[in-house]
């Protein structure tokens, strides 16, 4: 049923990230007042990780990656 629905409506499943590496430019900084929630990830070469604040910017990047919109 899932495949027939996908074909009928021409949709694909895309998963959104919950965490991002700091400095990727993908995390939306909201209005500039709120601070992003971040933490040190010792298992990933002591990388600074941020919790995704808003998926607005990520959605635009994903839509462009899949060729749905162009920038």
């Amino acid at each position: 049923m899932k495949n027939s629905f996908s074909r009928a409506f021409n949709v694909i499943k895309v998963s959104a990230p919950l965490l991002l590496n700091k400095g990727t430019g993908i995390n939306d900084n909201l209005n500039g007042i709120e601070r992003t929630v971040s933490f040190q990830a010792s298992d990933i070469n002591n990388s600074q990780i941020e919790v995704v604040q808003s998926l607005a910017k990520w959605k635009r990047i994903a839509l462009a990656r899949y060729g749905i919109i162009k920038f």
Side-chain angles (χ1 to χ4, degrees), residues 9-67:
F9 291 98
N10 193 27
V11 295
I12 58 173
K13 181 179 179 181
V14 178
S15 297
L18 298 175
L19 304 171
L20 295 167
N21 284 326
K22 185 174 185 172
T24 60
I26 297 174
N27 206 1
D28 194 348
N29 291 331
L30 303 173
N31 65 10
I33 295 173
E34 293 94 348
R35 291 184 301 160
T36 56
V37 177
S38 63
F39 58 92
Q40 193 77 21
S42 59
D43 290 350
I44 310 173
N45 299 326
N46 288 324
S47 296
Q48 193 71 14
I49 303 296
E50 294 179 338
V51 175
V52 175
Q53 302 299 312
S54 167
L55 290 174
K57 198 174 199 180
W58 176 85
K59 284 187 283 187
R60 290 190 298 273
I61 293 168
L63 289 169
R65 181 182 304 148
Y66 289 103

Side-chain angles (χ1 to χ4, degrees), residues 1-11:
M1 182 168 157
K2 186 188 254 185
N3 288 332
S4 60
F5 179 84
S6 298
R7 279 192 297 270
F9 291 98
N10 193 27
V11 295

